[in-house]
Amino acid sequence: MEAAAWSVGRVWSGGTVPEPWAVQGLDYFGAYCIPQHQNGPCAVLPIIQAECLATLVQDPDSVFDLTAVDTKLDEAIFWRSVANIIVRCADLERGCREVVVAGWCEEGPPEVVRTKFPLSQQPDQAEVESVRVGVCHHLLSHREEWLQPGGLVLLVYSCCLTWTLDALSERTDGGALVYEIAATNNLTSLLLRGPNPKLLDQDTNICPIGILMNSSWHSNELEVVPECLASPALPIWIMMFDTHCSLLIAHPLSSQPPEISPQPSQLIHYDGFPASLKILTIQPGAEQEQSTACCAVADVVQAWPPDKQDRPYAWRSWRFEAFVIGDPEGTEAVPPAARWRCGRCWLSDPREYNCYNDPDAVLCKTCDRGRGECGESVLVPYVGLPVDWRDKVDSNDSYKSKVAMMLCTKWPAVEIVNEIEIEIHQELSLVRERIEGVRLSD
């Protein structure tokens, strides 16, 4: 899709709308799920879904089940949520005088028509709400072009035109909002927090929707997620991991103001690409107790592979191959069928990593010492490790799922103790039918 002339360089880093954005519509199913069709617009879709949930939970007449993906959502609530995002982009502090909703010309993309909803110079809350209602009604009456491929592009254009093109250029310093196929923090910030502040700026106001983020998303301006985003007014978070975003929701979802840092017992994780919906049961990490072993650990070599394979990410239930000092009480010998590792070689300076020996070998192939004097590694359960070694194991992100790593940025040492995947493929097939032009019955 060729980009509208005004958007080249301001919205898209190239001269065209990237295919993942061009094919993405706002086609939703259930209470909040929007399937993502290609890799790219994942930073924007969870914001729409989170806004939808925020609108839904604050509606006194709404009754919904986050896990019931076939629950039909009131259209008005969905489009009001989209309207909220567009109206939020109006920079009222700088005298924004209109909210703009983009639509395709009769000839179709890329050229757009602009429907304008005027604002006075200093609008009060009632006037802003009136504009929001007008935008919602407009979206409802034009919903087919927003549900179809290109609908997400219309949302981006509406937000940019409402923000104003001058403000867009000023914020991005002449750069684009979408670089190649990925949204920049400027676009994420605009849709989630409005024109001001920037994505990771601290704010005295608690944000309705929060962010959990790993280090690769951190900006140079602020190295941590501010408390206003880590502990939002509603327990809904956009999870930003590496270059991918998904949605995390406390279950059950409540509009009651949370305490300073509550930890729910269950969470819903929705990932739009590939589409999956999971219920996570979590609990605080166990209190660090004194080691149950009666020996010191010289070094931990690895988590025992069979345990990792049998219980992925449940690292506190694993055994660890280690070299111990003194009486190895509370440990297990490495199984006879496994290769044995020479302690003298492993603990030498410099370390000799290639010190594995065949199970029936009586001499170490590296140092030529007898097996009895080499000091073999043993298996130590997690609870048998000294506290300092448990701390090192807990900080090893390779032992954790991506979701667990993100949860630990909010609730240190939290554990996912159960995970249930909810079947959504039937709902996805209905959405695909809509994408392919099969009109669903009203």
Side-chain angles (χ1 to χ4, degrees), residues 190-241:
L190 176 65
L191 272 61
L192 184 62
R193 304 188 71 181
N196 299 295
K198 294 182 180 180
L199 182 61
L200 290 181
D201 284 353
Q202 179 60 278
D203 196 344
T204 55
N205 298 319
I206 297 176
C207 299
I209 298 164
I211 289 176
L212 297 180
M213 178 182 294
N214 77 329
S215 58
S216 63
W217 278 81
H218 289 168
S219 73
N220 294 326
E221 300 175 10
L222 193 61
E223 290 302 320
V224 296
V225 174
E227 185 62 21
C228 63
L229 288 171
S231 299
L234 296 172
I236 305 170
W237 294 268
I238 310 299
M239 289 207 315
M240 298 179 168
F241 187 92

Side-chain angles (χ1 to χ4, degrees), residues 111-247:
E111 293 306 319
V112 299
V113 293
R114 310 180 191 191
T115 302
K116 300 180 179 181
F117 297 82
L119 288 165
S120 63
Q121 191 163 2
Q122 293 182 322
D124 57 20
Q125 185 174 353
E127 182 181 352
V128 174
E129 180 59 26
S130 176
V131 167
R132 194 189 326 270
V133 171
V135 171
C136 180
H137 289 165
H138 177 85
L139 292 172
L140 271 166
S141 63
H142 294 78
R143 58 187 177 274
E144 282 305 317
E145 67 177 348
W146 285 69
L147 291 171
Q148 296 300 320
L152 184 61
V153 175
L154 289 179
L155 175 62
V156 172
Y157 284 171
S158 299
C159 292
C160 291
L161 293 169
T162 297
W163 189 19
T164 76
L165 300 180
D166 289 342
L168 189 160
S169 296
E170 180 181 334
R171 170 65 67 84
T172 61
D173 195 24
L177 286 178
V178 177
Y179 182 74
E180 295 183 350
I181 64 171
T184 63
N185 274 3
N186 283 321
L187 181 56
T188 305
S189 177
L190 176 65
L191 272 61
L192 184 62
R193 304 188 71 181
N196 299 295
K198 294 182 180 180
L199 182 61
L200 290 181
D201 284 353
Q202 179 60 278
D203 196 344
T204 55
N205 298 319
I206 297 176
C207 299
I209 298 164
I211 289 176
L212 297 180
M213 178 182 294
N214 77 329
S215 58
S216 63
W217 278 81
H218 289 168
S219 73
N220 294 326
E221 300 175 10
L222 193 61
E223 290 302 320
V224 296
V225 174
E227 185 62 21
C228 63
L229 288 171
S231 299
L234 296 172
I236 305 170
W237 294 268
I238 310 299
M239 289 207 315
M240 298 179 168
F241 187 92
D242 291 340
T243 58
H244 186 63
C245 295
S246 55
L247 186 65

Side-chain angles (χ1 to χ4, degrees), residues 415-427:
E415 292 183 80
I416 299 176
V417 295
N418 192 31
E419 185 176 288
I420 301 174
E421 184 153 7
I422 300 174
E423 177 64 44
I424 60 175
H425 297 294
Q426 181 177 359
E427 297 298 324

